Amino acid sequence: MGILSWLIIGGLAGLIAGKLVQGSGNGLVMNIIVGVIGAFIGGFIMNSIGGIGVAGFSLWSLVVSVIGAVVLLLILNALRTRA
């Protein structure tokens, strides 16, 4: 997957995850960062349970990225409320 694909999938995943997790509205750049990191987290989770992680520019990759981004946002929100 090329850098442009990562940016598009990351941006969409971050946007969707930001809408799903309450109190996580971010700007475009932060959505892309959250989405790309979420893709790594989602891929790790899927590979750990025997599934397929991010595999190119596809709907499945977007779903995996959103799952990872939601996990990331939940962790970040938990850390913010503790501090």
Side-chain angles (χ1 to χ4, degrees):
M1 212 161 71
I3 188 81
L4 186 60
S5 299
W6 277 102
L7 294 175
I8 292 170
I9 292 284
L12 289 173
L15 177 70
I16 293 168
K19 299 291 183 190
L20 292 174
V21 178
Q22 186 176 2
S24 298
N26 298 312
L28 177 64
V29 174
M30 193 62 175
N31 282 341
I32 292 172
I33 292 169
V34 166
V36 170
I37 294 172
F40 286 110
I41 293 171
F44 177 77
I45 291 170
M46 288 300 160
N47 288 331
S48 295
I49 62 173
I52 298 171
V54 176
F57 192 78
S58 65
L59 183 59
W60 179 249
S61 294
L62 180 61
V63 170
V64 170
S65 298
V66 169
I67 291 169
V70 166
V71 169
L72 176 62
L73 288 175
L74 290 174
I75 291 170
L76 290 175
N77 284 348
L79 292 175
R80 268 190 230 143
T81 57
R82 285 181 134 178

